[in-house]
């Protein structure tokens, strides 16, 4: 598959998953949404474990084509961390903060990746060798605008700035790099939560 189309496909899948999580949070009771997200997390994890032994039709194609970091020990690692990031964020924070943080993960992460990919001539990388400043700024702007649907402008700005700043960094836990699908929404949500405490 063409590299550009492959990247667009990856990010489109990322956005679709995020939008489905957002719709779930908006349409069902909090407790039920948490249960559904937890069950989805368990299901994806189980599928990933099974996929290390056998190739599952359709699922195997998604893993082979859309998974950027092909980890033989744990396929679909991105999806697992995406769901765990959404689940923890929704559990820890109020609904408006959680939605804003998940928006940053969903739209900011996807847009920054595509902006960096297609805007390589603006390829200044002050934070890591993978993330461009151009992509980070575009991702922050887009996630701020979408987050305005769910939260006040100041909080939307804080979520977008902190979430995308963390997304641009390479954060290591020992020898392992932390997955941005987990740390981005938690960073965005924590920043909003702390700001709300300060402004009370």
């Amino acid at each position: 598959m063409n590299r550009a189309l492959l990247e667009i496909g990856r990010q489109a899948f990322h956005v679709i998953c995020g939008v489905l999580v957002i719709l779930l949070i908006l349409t069902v009771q909090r407790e039920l949404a948490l249960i559904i997200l937890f069950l989805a997390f368990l299901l994806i994890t189980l599928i990933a474990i099974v996929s290390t032994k056998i190739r599952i039709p359709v699922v195997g194609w998604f893993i082979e084509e859309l998974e950027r970091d092909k980890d033989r020990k744990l396929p679909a690692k991105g999806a697992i961390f995406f769901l765990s990031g959404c689940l923890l964020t929704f559990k820890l924070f109020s609904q408006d903060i959680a939605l804003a943080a998940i928006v940053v993960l969903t739209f900011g992460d996807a847009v920054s990746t595509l902006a960096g990919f297609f805007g390589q001539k603006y390829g200044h990388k002050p934070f890591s060798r993978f993330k461009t400043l151009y992509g980070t700024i575009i991702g922050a702007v887009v996630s701020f605008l979408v987050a305005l649907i769910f939260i006040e402008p100041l909080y939307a700005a804080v979520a977008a700035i902190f979430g995308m700043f963390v997304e641009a960094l390479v954060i290591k836990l020992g020898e392992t790099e932390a997955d941005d699908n987990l740390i981005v929404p938690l960073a965005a949500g924590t920043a909003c939560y702390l700001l709300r405490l300060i402004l009370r």
Side-chain angles (χ1 to χ4, degrees), residues 60-111:
W61 181 88
F62 272 95
I63 291 173
E64 290 163 9
E65 295 295 328
L66 298 183
E67 189 78 359
R68 182 184 290 107
D69 302 318
K70 294 177 174 59
D71 189 338
R72 292 183 179 180
K73 294 182 180 179
L74 187 62
K77 185 168 67 175
I80 292 170
F81 278 109
F82 184 92
L83 281 171
S84 60
C86 291
L87 178 60
L88 287 171
T89 301
F90 189 41
K91 175 64 177 176
L92 291 171
F93 304 112
S94 60
Q95 180 164 308
D96 59 342
I97 289 177
L99 285 168
I102 293 170
V103 160
V104 176
L105 171 62
T106 300
F107 294 95
D109 192 12
V111 169

Side-chain angles (χ1 to χ4, degrees), residues 21 23 33 113 122 150 194:
V21 170
L23 290 175
T113 300
Y122 309 109
F150 305 112
L194 291 176

Side-chain angles (χ1 to χ4, degrees), residues 6-169:
L6 184 59
E7 195 58 53
I8 292 170
R10 285 189 184 118
Q11 301 313 319
F13 183 71
H14 182 90
V15 169
I16 288 168
C17 290
V19 169
L20 289 175
V21 170
I22 291 168
L23 290 175
L24 173 69
I25 292 171
L26 290 172
T27 54
V28 304
Q29 291 183 345
R30 184 182 181 88
E31 292 76 12
L32 179 57
L34 286 168
I35 291 170
I36 293 172
L37 285 173
F38 181 66
L39 291 176
F41 166 76
L42 290 180
L43 178 62
I44 294 296
T45 304
L46 177 61
I47 290 172
I49 293 169
V50 172
S51 294
T52 63
K53 305 297 182 183
I54 59 173
R55 188 183 188 278
I56 303 173
V58 182
V59 173
W61 181 88
F62 272 95
I63 291 173
E64 290 163 9
E65 295 295 328
L66 298 183
E67 189 78 359
R68 182 184 290 107
D69 302 318
K70 294 177 174 59
D71 189 338
R72 292 183 179 180
K73 294 182 180 179
L74 187 62
K77 185 168 67 175
I80 292 170
F81 278 109
F82 184 92
L83 281 171
S84 60
C86 291
L87 178 60
L88 287 171
T89 301
F90 189 41
K91 175 64 177 176
L92 291 171
F93 304 112
S94 60
Q95 180 164 308
D96 59 342
I97 289 177
L99 285 168
I102 293 170
V103 160
V104 176
L105 171 62
T106 300
F107 294 95
D109 192 12
V111 169
S112 68
T113 300
L114 289 176
F117 182 84
F118 290 104
Q120 292 181 20
K121 64 180 179 179
Y122 309 109
H124 183 52
K125 300 175 181 179
F127 306 120
S128 80
R129 67 183 188 276
F130 304 110
K131 307 291 184 176
T132 66
L133 179 61
Y134 172 75
T136 299
I137 292 171
I138 297 297
V141 170
V142 171
S143 55
F144 164 72
L145 292 174
V146 181
L148 287 173
I149 299 171
F150 305 112
I151 204 164
E152 296 90 345
L154 178 59
Y155 293 97
V158 167
I161 292 168
F162 276 84
M164 294 311 301
F165 175 70
V166 167
E167 193 268 348
L169 299 175

